[in-house]
Amino acid sequence: MSKEQVLEQALDLDYKDRADLARWLLDSLEDLSPEEYERAWLEVAVRRAEELRSGKAKGIPVEEVLRDAESRLG
């Protein structure tokens, strides 16, 4: 079964079951070696950089992020 098929089925679950599944998946990441953990984050960083370059994702200026954070923190 592909990860897309798993995701499609997972999204059909009710809220509590999706939350449980997310928790289990996150917990499973704690078993990664430091090398596996680093490789996983590098893959995320590369994918996000490609999305920004291609225009699929849009960046937010740091000033806007800081302004939003300050307004939320009071």
Side-chain angles (χ1 to χ4, degrees), residues 13-23:
L13 297 171
D14 66 32
Y15 177 81
K16 183 184 179 321
D17 288 341
R18 286 196 321 270
D20 287 343
L21 179 58
R23 198 170 303 107

Side-chain angles (χ1 to χ4, degrees), residues 3-22:
K3 64 183 173 185
E4 289 80 11
Q5 291 169 316
V6 171
L7 176 61
E8 186 177 322
Q9 289 186 1
L11 292 174
D12 285 338
L13 297 171
D14 66 32
Y15 177 81
K16 183 184 179 321
D17 288 341
R18 286 196 321 270
D20 287 343
L21 179 58

Side-chain angles (χ1 to χ4, degrees), residues 22-68:
R23 198 170 303 107
W24 294 331
L25 289 170
L26 288 172
D27 286 347
S28 75
L29 296 177
E30 293 180 8
D31 296 335
L32 295 178
S33 70
E35 294 81 16
E36 291 170 317
Y37 187 77
E38 184 175 339
R39 186 173 47 249
W41 277 111
L42 181 59
E43 289 172 7
V44 170
V46 167
R47 179 179 48 81
R48 289 181 178 177
E50 289 172 357
E51 289 173 350
L52 284 169
R53 277 194 290 274
S54 72
K56 183 177 180 182
K58 180 183 172 200
I60 301 172
V62 68
E63 297 83 9
E64 185 178 333
V65 172
L66 292 174
R67 212 174 24 253
D68 183 52

